[in-house]
Amino acid sequence: MSHQRYHQHFTVSWDQLHRDVRELCHRLVERDFKGIVAITRGGLIPAALIARELNVRLIDTVCISSYDGKDQGELEVMKGVDHDGDGWLLVDDLVDTGKTARKVREMLPKAHFVTVYAKPEGRPLVDQYLTEVAQDCWIQFPWDMGVAYVEPLADQIKR
């Protein structure tokens, strides 16, 4: 899939991500999980925040590659787990087209699957999510951004 399919952008700050993950945790806090499986790379930071909020000490990863920048390619499973997910919380930052979600659902059919953000095509594949975004929206996560100086508007206009 080409990056040309994105017509909107949604920028998530570190503060916003932390607030969103905490809100998702409010919906999970009554459940008891054996551990967390983070889908790398995007699920790593939400999984760490969730582990802290839910006081879960056991974290594993499923390592899957599907994106190169904004272009989605073939799935490559680089690391799986040796269980079916029973009693585990499966975490990712986003469910987009559902390609990765389908693959991890095959691997961990009994896990409770959550994402912070969900797009319509992938939404039915997760058990819970916090925020829905449009399918044509590119989410800019804070780990993909840096802080940079922005020239004052008045100075920009004077040039």
Side-chain angles (χ1 to χ4, degrees):
M1 287 193 180
S2 169
H3 68 276
Q4 294 173 351
R5 68 186 177 115
Y6 301 109
H7 299 99
Q8 302 177 54
H9 284 81
F10 174 42
T11 301
V12 179
S13 68
W14 285 111
D15 288 340
Q16 183 66 51
L17 179 72
H18 198 198
R19 281 191 303 271
D20 289 346
V21 170
R22 283 185 58 112
E23 180 60 34
L24 183 59
C25 287
H26 278 286
R27 300 171 188 192
L28 297 168
V29 73
E30 298 298 323
R31 298 183 64 133
D32 197 23
F33 296 104
K34 293 178 185 174
I36 294 173
V37 176
I39 301 171
T40 67
R41 290 180 310 204
L44 288 170
I45 291 170
L49 295 171
I50 290 169
R52 188 239 181 226
E53 295 299 333
L54 300 183
N55 202 22
V56 175
R57 303 283 177 163
L58 184 57
I59 302 175
D60 201 350
T61 58
V62 169
C63 304
I64 297 179
S65 174
S66 65
Y67 275 91
D68 182 15
K70 290 184 180 179
D71 295 322
Q72 191 174 30
E74 293 301 312
L75 288 179
E76 178 186 354
V77 177
M78 296 169 281
K79 178 190 171 290
V81 293
D82 63 355
H83 56 82
D84 64 5
D86 189 29
W88 286 74
L89 180 64
L90 179 60
V91 177
D92 206 352
D93 56 348
L94 163 73
V95 60
D96 189 335
T97 62
K99 243 174 124 172
T100 300
R102 275 185 200 83
K103 186 64 177 175
V104 294
R105 276 287 192 201
E106 290 173 14
M107 297 166 66
L108 298 159
K110 295 184 178 180
H112 186 77
F113 191 0
V114 298
T115 60
V116 185
Y117 307 102
K119 293 185 180 182
E121 287 179 30
R123 186 184 64 232
L125 298 166
V126 298
D127 297 306
Q128 285 181 271
Y129 64 93
L130 182 68
T131 302
E132 184 173 341
V133 295
Q135 196 67 45
D136 67 345
C137 183
W138 178 258
I139 300 177
Q140 192 70 55
F141 287 100
W143 50 83
D144 289 329
M145 298 182 296
V147 178
Y149 173 77
V150 176
E151 187 178 23
L153 184 59
D155 293 344
Q156 292 176 24
I157 293 172
K158 289 179 184 175
R159 277 189 276 138

